[in-house]
Amino acid sequence: MVETPDPPSGEDPRPWDPERLAAEIRPHLQRTVERLCPRWLRPRCDDIVQVAVLRVLRSREKTEENRPPPAAFLWKVALATTVDEIRRATRARESSGDGALPDGPAPPSGEPDQQFAAREIEAAIRDCLARLAPRRRVAVWLYLLGHSIPEAAGLLAFDEKQTENLIYRGMADLRNCLRVKGLKP
Amino acid sequence: MSVDETADRRLREILGEVPLEGDATPDCPSPETIWDAASGLLPPGRVGSLGEHAAGCRACTAIWREATILTRAAATGGGEARPSRRPPTHGMGIGWPLLAALAATLAVTIVGVCLFQLDPPPAGRTAVQREPEARSIRSLVPEAAPIARDEFQLRWTEGVAGARYRVQVTTADLDLLAEGRDLGSPEFLVPVAALRDVASGETVLWQVEAVAPDGSRVTSPTFLARLR
């Protein structure tokens, strides 16, 4: 929360100034895009930021609002724009029939054995999740993504006790399923 | 820590590393829709059906995870998105809610020291200094309880003695629905007509700016309110 020593009128007296607004929001969009951008897409980060800036400006154009939008909105735009560009670049790579374009996805960093094991467990988690009853599946998935029981309950409109049971039983099923696959996380 | 807690943590870490560039399918919802779902801005039924898809989809899982991290950072007052890429980890034992609360507190602390401000911090204050509690504005509208469209009254704490208020009410996509200016009391009744295009069950965002008698301003976090 920030206080700014502006005139006390409660209104923004400035005329619509998209350039100034763009200058204000750009650093925040840039930081978020850079954090989200995979390494292979980093050369295009500036382009992604520019698209994100334009998207935000379009949303403010109607009301000619000079104040930056809430952080959540900026980050939503940054995430959506980055994902759009990832998908666009991936489609372009696939349609070219060349999976090894210079700007295509690079292999992840880390020890190859660890990468392989993690990828194997990740695929097994998805497979085991798919075997759970739908309500358990979603509750467990939210839990694995770090949502608390109250958060998961709120998102799914279940009561907390019900959600806790879904997660508890779903996690037991998931662990058993992974064990059957011979995997021990 | 029990074996299960250790195993759960490992499973979370693995999902925490799923890259954003996972293969999307034609069934994948847009990133904006995933964001809205992860933020609680979609009706619960839609969250459930979207979750059923996303639970089996690498691309959507990664987007959901990032949306959760970013919305948490925003909800703590506009923190920069620099917490761990992994979601907070906690066990499923007896102390789970407490651990979750501690994790949330820790996340707030981490985010707090990594803050960036959308508005430049005023002279004499650094970016990590927080608004003193006495000057903060809190919502007095429970986010979980839907409000009837003909009684859509927003209320908030005074924040600054003698302040005049400006409140903006927007859709999740920031389309302006209503605005109250130069309000003398910390409340605003949203006109029914302003909510005409908002469907029942949808969430709107609202934010208050208080202008103190000395001209200084205090801006609230963005609050949520759900339409019955």
Side-chain angles (χ1 to χ4, degrees), chain B residues 171-196:
Chain B
T171 66
D173 289 329
L174 274 211
D175 286 336
L176 187 67
L177 295 171
E179 185 174 37
R181 296 184 178 208
D182 201 28
L183 306 173
S185 58
E187 59 186 6
F188 177 62
L189 180 64
V190 181
V192 177
L195 300 168
R196 189 178 48 225

Side-chain angles (χ1 to χ4, degrees), chain B residues 16-35:
Chain B
E17 297 293 343
V18 175
L20 267 181
E21 57 261 48
D23 292 337
T25 71
D27 295 336
C28 289
S30 70
E32 290 91 343
T33 302
I34 296 174
W35 177 287

Side-chain angles (χ1 to χ4, degrees), chain A residues 149 161 164 168, chain B residues 2 5 90-101:
Chain A
I149 288 176
K161 191 67 191 169
E164 188 171 15
Y168 185 84
Chain B
S2 73
E5 286 170 3
H90 33 66
M92 280 285 286
I94 296 169
W96 196 87
L98 176 60
L99 289 170

